[in-house]
Coordinates of all heavy atoms in Angstrom, one line a residue:
F1 N -61.1 -31.2 -19.8 CA -62.5 -31.0 -19.8 C -62.9 -30.2 -18.5 O -63.7 -29.2 -18.6 CB -63.3 -32.3 -19.8 CG -64.6 -32.2 -20.5 CD1 -64.7 -32.5 -21.8 CD2 -65.7 -31.7 -19.8 CE1 -66.0 -32.3 -22.5 CE2 -66.9 -31.6 -20.4 CZ -67.1 -31.9 -21.8
N2 N -62.4 -30.6 -17.4 CA -62.7 -29.9 -16.1 C -62.2 -28.4 -16.1 O -62.9 -27.5 -15.7 CB -62.1 -30.6 -14.9 CG -62.8 -30.3 -13.6 OD1 -64.0 -30.3 -13.5 ND2 -62.0 -30.0 -12.6
H3 N -61.0 -28.2 -16.7 CA -60.5 -26.9 -16.8 C -61.4 -26.0 -17.6 O -61.7 -24.8 -17.2 CB -59.1 -27.0 -17.5 CG -58.5 -25.6 -17.8 ND1 -58.0 -24.8 -16.8 CD2 -58.4 -25.0 -18.9 CE1 -57.5 -23.7 -17.3 NE2 -57.7 -23.8 -18.6
R4 N -61.9 -26.5 -18.7 CA -62.8 -25.7 -19.6 C -64.1 -25.5 -18.9 O -64.7 -24.4 -19.0 CB -63.0 -26.3 -20.9 CG -61.8 -26.3 -21.8 CD -61.1 -25.0 -21.9 NE -62.0 -23.9 -22.2 CZ -61.8 -22.6 -22.0 NH1 -60.7 -22.3 -21.3 NH2 -62.7 -21.7 -22.4
A5 N -64.7 -26.5 -18.2 CA -66.0 -26.4 -17.6 C -65.9 -25.3 -16.5 O -66.8 -24.5 -16.3 CB -66.4 -27.7 -17.0
I6 N -64.8 -25.3 -15.7 CA -64.7 -24.3 -14.7 C -64.6 -22.9 -15.3 O -65.2 -22.0 -14.8 CB -63.4 -24.6 -13.8 CG1 -63.6 -25.8 -13.0 CG2 -63.0 -23.4 -13.0 CD1 -62.4 -26.3 -12.3
A7 N -63.9 -22.8 -16.4 CA -63.8 -21.4 -17.0 C -65.1 -21.0 -17.6 O -65.5 -19.8 -17.5 CB -62.8 -21.5 -18.2
I8 N -65.9 -21.9 -18.1 CA -67.2 -21.5 -18.6 C -68.3 -21.3 -17.5 O -69.1 -20.4 -17.6 CB -67.7 -22.6 -19.6 CG1 -66.8 -22.6 -20.9 CG2 -69.2 -22.3 -20.1 CD1 -67.0 -23.8 -21.8
E9 N -68.3 -22.2 -16.6 CA -69.3 -22.2 -15.5 C -68.7 -21.8 -14.2 O -69.0 -22.4 -13.1 CB -69.9 -23.6 -15.4 CG -70.8 -23.9 -16.6 CD -72.1 -23.1 -16.6 OE1 -73.0 -23.5 -15.9 OE2 -72.1 -22.2 -17.4
A10 N -67.9 -20.7 -14.2 CA -67.3 -20.2 -12.9 C -68.2 -19.9 -11.8 O -67.9 -20.0 -10.6 CB -66.4 -19.0 -13.2
Q11 N -69.5 -19.5 -12.2 CA -70.5 -19.2 -11.2 C -70.9 -20.4 -10.4 O -71.5 -20.2 -9.3 CB -71.7 -18.5 -11.8 CG -72.5 -19.4 -12.7 CD -72.1 -19.4 -14.1 OE1 -70.9 -19.1 -14.4 NE2 -72.9 -19.8 -15.1
R12 N -70.6 -21.6 -10.8 CA -71.0 -22.8 -10.1 C -70.0 -23.0 -8.9 O -70.3 -23.8 -8.1 CB -71.0 -24.0 -11.0 CG -72.2 -23.9 -12.0 CD -72.3 -25.2 -12.8 NE -73.3 -25.0 -13.8 CZ -74.6 -25.3 -13.6 NH1 -74.9 -25.8 -12.5 NH2 -75.5 -25.2 -14.6
L13 N -68.9 -22.4 -8.9 CA -67.9 -22.6 -7.8 C -68.5 -21.9 -6.6 O -69.2 -20.9 -6.6 CB -66.6 -22.0 -8.1 CG -65.7 -22.7 -9.2 CD1 -64.5 -21.9 -9.5 CD2 -65.3 -24.1 -8.6
P14 N -68.2 -22.5 -5.4 CA -68.7 -21.8 -4.1 C -68.1 -20.4 -4.0 O -66.9 -20.2 -4.5 CB -68.2 -22.8 -3.0 CG -67.9 -24.1 -3.7 CD -67.5 -23.7 -5.1
A15 N -68.8 -19.6 -3.3 CA -68.2 -18.2 -3.1 C -66.9 -18.3 -2.3 O -66.8 -19.1 -1.4 CB -69.2 -17.4 -2.4
P16 N -65.9 -17.6 -2.7 CA -64.6 -17.7 -2.0 C -64.8 -17.2 -0.6 O -65.6 -16.3 -0.3 CB -63.7 -16.7 -2.8 CG -64.6 -15.8 -3.5 CD -65.8 -16.6 -3.8
V17 N -64.1 -17.8 0.4 CA -64.1 -17.4 1.8 C -62.9 -16.6 2.1 O -61.9 -16.6 1.4 CB -64.2 -18.7 2.7 CG1 -65.4 -19.5 2.4 CG2 -62.9 -19.5 2.5
K18 N -63.0 -15.9 3.2 CA -61.9 -15.1 3.7 C -60.8 -16.1 4.1 O -61.0 -17.1 4.6 CB -62.3 -14.2 4.9 CG -63.3 -13.2 4.6 CD -63.7 -12.4 5.8 CE -64.7 -11.3 5.5 NZ -65.1 -10.6 6.8
P19 N -59.5 -15.7 3.7 CA -58.4 -16.7 4.0 C -58.3 -16.9 5.5 O -58.4 -15.9 6.3 CB -57.2 -16.0 3.4 CG -57.6 -14.5 3.3 CD -59.1 -14.5 3.1
L20 N -58.0 -18.1 5.9 CA -57.7 -18.4 7.3 C -56.3 -18.1 7.7 O -55.4 -18.2 6.8 CB -58.0 -19.9 7.6 CG -59.4 -20.5 7.3 CD1 -59.4 -22.0 7.6 CD2 -60.4 -19.7 8.2
S21 N -56.1 -17.6 8.9 CA -54.7 -17.4 9.4 C -54.0 -18.7 9.6 O -54.7 -19.7 9.8 CB -54.8 -16.6 10.7 OG -55.2 -17.4 11.7
P22 N -52.7 -18.7 9.6 CA -52.0 -19.9 9.9 C -52.4 -20.6 11.2 O -52.5 -21.8 11.3 CB -50.5 -19.5 9.9 CG -50.5 -18.3 9.0 CD -51.8 -17.6 9.3
R23 N -52.7 -19.8 12.2 CA -53.1 -20.4 13.5 C -54.4 -21.0 13.4 O -54.7 -22.0 14.0 CB -53.0 -19.3 14.6 CG -52.6 -19.8 15.9 CD -51.4 -20.7 15.9 NE -50.8 -20.8 17.2 CZ -49.8 -21.7 17.5 NH1 -49.5 -22.5 16.6 NH2 -49.2 -21.7 18.7
E24 N -55.3 -20.4 12.7 CA -56.7 -20.9 12.5 C -56.6 -22.3 11.7 O -57.3 -23.2 12.0 CB -57.6 -19.9 11.7 CG -57.9 -18.7 12.6 CD -58.5 -17.6 11.7 OE1 -58.4 -17.6 10.5 OE2 -58.9 -16.6 12.4
V25 N -55.7 -22.3 10.7 CA -55.5 -23.6 10.0 C -55.0 -24.6 10.9 O -55.5 -25.8 10.9 CB -54.5 -23.3 8.8 CG1 -54.1 -24.7 8.2 CG2 -55.1 -22.5 7.8
D26 N -54.0 -24.3 11.8 CA -53.5 -25.3 12.7 C -54.6 -25.8 13.6 O -54.7 -27.0 13.9 CB -52.4 -24.6 13.6 CG -51.1 -24.4 12.9 OD1 -50.9 -25.0 11.8 OD2 -50.3 -23.5 13.4
V27 N -55.4 -24.9 14.2 CA -56.5 -25.3 15.1 C -57.5 -26.2 14.4 O -57.8 -27.3 14.9 CB -57.2 -24.1 15.7 CG1 -58.5 -24.5 16.4 CG2 -56.3 -23.3 16.6
L28 N -58.0 -25.9 13.2 CA -59.0 -26.7 12.5 C -58.4 -28.0 12.1 O -59.1 -29.1 12.1 CB -59.6 -25.9 11.3 CG -60.4 -24.7 11.7 CD1 -61.0 -24.2 10.4 CD2 -61.5 -25.1 12.7
T29 N -57.1 -28.0 11.7 CA -56.5 -29.2 11.3 C -56.4 -30.3 12.4 O -56.7 -31.4 12.3 CB -55.0 -29.0 10.8 OG1 -55.1 -28.1 9.6 CG2 -54.3 -30.3 10.4
H30 N -56.0 -29.8 13.6 CA -55.9 -30.7 14.7 C -57.3 -31.2 15.2 O -57.5 -32.3 15.6 CB -55.2 -30.0 15.9 CG -53.7 -30.0 15.7 ND1 -53.1 -29.0 15.0 CD2 -52.7 -30.8 16.2 CE1 -51.8 -29.2 15.0 NE2 -51.5 -30.3 15.7
L31 N -58.3 -30.3 15.1 CA -59.7 -30.7 15.5 C -60.2 -31.8 14.5 O -60.8 -32.7 14.8 CB -60.6 -29.5 15.5 CG -60.4 -28.5 16.6 CD1 -61.3 -27.3 16.5 CD2 -60.7 -29.2 18.0
A32 N -59.8 -31.6 13.2 CA -60.3 -32.5 12.1 C -59.6 -33.9 12.3 O -60.1 -34.9 11.9 CB -59.9 -32.0 10.8
M33 N -58.5 -33.9 13.0 CA -57.7 -35.2 13.2 C -58.2 -35.9 14.5 O -57.7 -36.9 14.9 CB -56.2 -34.9 13.3 CG -55.6 -34.5 12.0 SD -54.0 -33.6 12.1 CE -53.1 -34.9 13.0
G34 N -59.3 -35.3 15.1 CA -59.9 -36.0 16.2 C -59.5 -35.6 17.6 O -59.9 -36.2 18.6
L35 N -58.6 -34.6 17.7 CA -58.1 -34.2 19.0 C -59.2 -33.4 19.7 O -59.9 -32.6 19.1 CB -56.8 -33.4 18.9 CG -55.6 -34.1 18.3 CD1 -54.4 -33.2 18.2 CD2 -55.3 -35.3 19.2
A36 N -59.2 -33.5 21.0 CA -60.1 -32.7 21.9 C -59.5 -31.3 22.0 O -58.3 -31.1 21.7 CB -60.3 -33.3 23.2

């Protein structure tokens, strides 16, 4: 059901963002884990 809903209502998905670099992912991941 979710697969079909996404196909029909694709405009409801958030606008895609620019991909993060591996280093940006590393930084945000560690910040999300509570590190200063």
Side-chain angles (χ1 to χ4, degrees):
F1 209 96
N2 198 49
H3 174 75
R4 291 314 306 159
I6 289 173
I8 294 172
E9 291 288 281
Q11 68 270 22
R12 292 183 183 273
L13 287 172
V17 300
K18 296 179 180 178
L20 300 177
S21 71
R23 213 46 160 170
E24 290 165 352
V25 170
D26 286 343
V27 167
L28 292 186
T29 298
H30 283 83
L31 290 174
M33 290 161 58
L35 296 179

